Coordinates of all heavy atoms in Angstrom, one line a residue:
I479 N -114.3 -54.4 78.5 CA -115.3 -54.1 79.6 C -115.3 -52.6 80.0 O -116.3 -51.9 80.1 CB -115.1 -55.0 80.8 CG1 -115.3 -56.5 80.4 CG2 -115.9 -54.6 82.0 CD1 -114.9 -57.5 81.4
S480 N -114.0 -52.1 80.2 CA -113.9 -50.8 80.6 C -114.5 -49.7 79.6 O -115.1 -48.8 79.9 CB -112.4 -50.3 80.9 OG -112.0 -51.1 82.0
R481 N -114.3 -50.0 78.4 CA -114.7 -49.1 77.3 C -116.2 -49.0 77.2 O -116.8 -48.0 77.1 CB -114.2 -49.6 75.9 CG -112.7 -49.2 75.7 CD -112.3 -49.7 74.3 NE -110.8 -49.5 74.1 CZ -110.2 -49.9 73.0 NH1 -110.9 -50.6 72.1 NH2 -108.9 -49.7 72.8
M482 N -116.9 -50.2 77.4 CA -118.3 -50.3 77.4 C -119.0 -49.5 78.5 O -119.9 -48.7 78.3 CB -118.8 -51.7 77.3 CG -120.4 -51.8 77.3 SD -120.9 -53.5 77.0 CE -120.3 -54.2 78.4
I483 N -118.4 -49.7 79.8 CA -118.9 -49.0 80.9 C -118.6 -47.6 80.8 O -119.4 -46.7 81.2 CB -118.4 -49.7 82.2 CG1 -118.9 -51.2 82.3 CG2 -119.0 -48.9 83.4 CD1 -118.4 -51.9 83.5
N484 N -117.5 -47.3 80.3 CA -117.0 -45.8 80.2 C -118.1 -45.0 79.2 O -118.4 -43.9 79.5 CB -115.7 -45.7 79.6 CG -114.6 -46.0 80.7 OD1 -114.8 -46.1 81.9 ND2 -113.4 -46.2 80.2
L485 N -118.5 -45.8 78.2 CA -119.5 -45.2 77.3 C -120.8 -44.9 77.9 O -121.3 -43.8 77.8 CB -119.6 -46.2 76.1 CG -120.6 -45.7 75.0 CD1 -120.1 -44.4 74.3 CD2 -120.8 -46.8 73.9
I486 N -121.3 -45.8 78.8 CA -122.4 -45.7 79.5 C -122.2 -44.5 80.5 O -123.1 -43.6 80.6 CB -122.9 -46.9 80.3 CG1 -123.2 -48.1 79.3 CG2 -124.0 -46.7 81.2 CD1 -123.5 -49.4 79.9
D487 N -121.1 -44.5 81.2 CA -120.8 -43.4 82.1 C -120.9 -42.1 81.4 O -121.4 -41.0 82.0 CB -119.5 -43.5 82.9 CG -119.6 -44.6 84.0 OD1 -120.8 -44.9 84.5 OD2 -118.5 -45.1 84.5
G488 N -120.3 -42.0 80.3 CA -120.2 -40.8 79.5 C -121.6 -40.3 79.1 O -121.9 -39.0 79.2
T489 N -122.5 -41.2 78.7 CA -123.9 -40.9 78.4 C -124.6 -40.4 79.6 O -125.5 -39.5 79.5 CB -124.6 -42.1 77.8 OG1 -123.8 -42.7 76.8 CG2 -125.9 -41.7 77.2
I490 N -124.3 -41.1 80.8 CA -125.0 -40.6 82.0 C -124.6 -39.1 82.3 O -125.4 -38.3 82.7 CB -124.7 -41.6 83.2 CG1 -125.4 -42.9 83.0 CG2 -125.0 -41.0 84.5 CD1 -124.9 -44.0 84.0
T491 N -123.3 -38.9 82.2 CA -122.7 -37.6 82.5 C -123.4 -36.5 81.6 O -123.7 -35.4 82.0 CB -121.2 -37.6 82.3 OG1 -120.7 -38.5 83.3 CG2 -120.7 -36.1 82.7
L492 N -123.6 -36.8 80.3 CA -124.2 -35.9 79.3 C -125.6 -35.6 79.8 O -125.9 -34.4 79.7 CB -124.1 -36.6 77.9 CG -124.8 -35.7 76.8 CD1 -123.9 -34.5 76.6 CD2 -124.8 -36.6 75.5
H493 N -126.4 -36.6 80.1 CA -127.7 -36.4 80.4 C -127.9 -35.6 81.8 O -128.8 -34.7 82.0 CB -128.6 -37.7 80.6 CG -129.0 -38.2 79.2 ND1 -129.9 -37.6 78.5 CD2 -128.6 -39.2 78.5 CE1 -130.1 -38.2 77.3 NE2 -129.3 -39.3 77.4
E494 N -126.9 -35.9 82.7 CA -126.9 -35.1 84.0 C -126.6 -33.7 83.7 O -127.3 -32.7 84.3 CB -125.8 -35.7 84.9 CG -126.2 -37.0 85.6 CD -125.1 -37.6 86.4 OE1 -124.0 -37.3 86.2 OE2 -125.6 -38.4 87.3
E495 N -125.7 -33.4 82.8 CA -125.3 -32.0 82.5 C -126.6 -31.3 81.8 O -126.8 -30.1 82.1 CB -124.1 -31.9 81.6 CG -123.6 -30.5 81.3 CD -123.4 -29.6 82.5 OE1 -123.0 -30.2 83.6 OE2 -123.7 -28.4 82.4
K496 N -127.1 -31.9 80.9 CA -128.3 -31.3 80.2 C -129.4 -31.1 81.3 O -130.1 -30.0 81.2 CB -128.8 -32.3 79.1 CG -128.0 -32.4 77.9 CD -128.6 -33.3 76.9 CE -127.8 -33.4 75.6 NZ -128.4 -34.2 74.6
K497 N -129.7 -32.0 82.2 CA -130.6 -31.8 83.2 C -130.3 -30.6 84.1 O -131.1 -29.8 84.4 CB -130.7 -33.1 84.0 CG -131.8 -33.0 85.2 CD -131.7 -34.2 86.0 CE -132.7 -34.0 87.2 NZ -132.5 -35.1 88.2
H498 N -129.0 -30.5 84.5 CA -128.6 -29.4 85.3 C -128.7 -28.1 84.6 O -129.1 -27.1 85.2 CB -127.1 -29.6 85.8 CG -127.0 -30.8 86.7 ND1 -125.8 -31.5 86.8 CD2 -127.9 -31.4 87.6 CE1 -125.9 -32.4 87.7 NE2 -127.2 -32.4 88.2
Q499 N -128.4 -28.0 83.4 CA -128.6 -26.8 82.6 C -130.1 -26.4 82.5 O -130.3 -25.1 82.7 CB -128.1 -27.0 81.1 CG -126.5 -27.1 81.0 CD -126.1 -27.4 79.6 OE1 -126.9 -27.7 78.7 NE2 -124.7 -27.4 79.4
L500 N -131.0 -27.3 82.3 CA -132.3 -27.0 82.3 C -132.8 -26.5 83.7 O -133.6 -25.7 83.8 CB -133.2 -28.3 81.9 CG -133.0 -28.6 80.4 CD1 -133.7 -30.0 80.1 CD2 -133.8 -27.6 79.5
E501 N -132.3 -27.1 84.7 CA -132.7 -26.8 86.1 C -132.2 -25.3 86.4 O -132.9 -24.5 87.0 CB -132.2 -27.7 87.1 CG -132.9 -29.1 87.1 CD -132.3 -30.1 88.0 OE1 -131.0 -30.0 88.3 OE2 -133.0 -31.1 88.3
R502 N -131.0 -25.0 85.9 CA -130.4 -23.7 86.2 C -131.2 -22.7 85.3 O -131.6 -21.6 85.7 CB -128.9 -23.6 85.7 CG -128.0 -24.3 86.7 CD -126.6 -24.0 86.3 NE -126.1 -24.5 85.1 CZ -125.5 -25.7 85.1 NH1 -125.4 -26.5 86.1 NH2 -125.1 -26.2 83.9
L503 N -131.6 -23.0 84.1 CA -132.5 -22.2 83.3 C -133.8 -21.9 83.9 O -134.4 -20.8 83.9 CB -132.8 -22.8 81.9 CG -133.7 -22.1 80.9 CD1 -133.2 -20.6 80.6 CD2 -133.9 -22.8 79.7
K504 N -134.4 -23.0 84.4 CA -135.7 -22.8 85.1 C -135.6 -21.9 86.4 O -136.5 -21.1 86.6 CB -136.2 -24.2 85.5 CG -137.5 -24.1 86.3 CD -138.1 -25.5 86.7 CE -139.4 -25.4 87.6 NZ -139.9 -26.6 88.1
S505 N -134.5 -22.1 87.1 CA -134.4 -21.3 88.3 C -134.2 -19.8 87.9 O -134.8 -18.9 88.6 CB -133.0 -21.7 89.0 OG -132.8 -21.0 90.2

Side-chain angles (χ1 to χ4, degrees):
I479 291 171
S480 293
R481 284 178 182 177
M482 181 171 59
I483 298 177
N484 287 344
L485 181 62
I486 295 173
D487 280 344
T489 309
I490 288 173
T491 300
L492 179 64
H493 281 292
E494 284 177 335
E495 182 55 34
K496 287 182 177 178
K497 180 187 172 185
H498 292 154
Q499 287 176 355
L500 288 166
E501 289 173 336
R502 289 193 290 269
L503 173 61
K504 179 182 175 180
S505 179

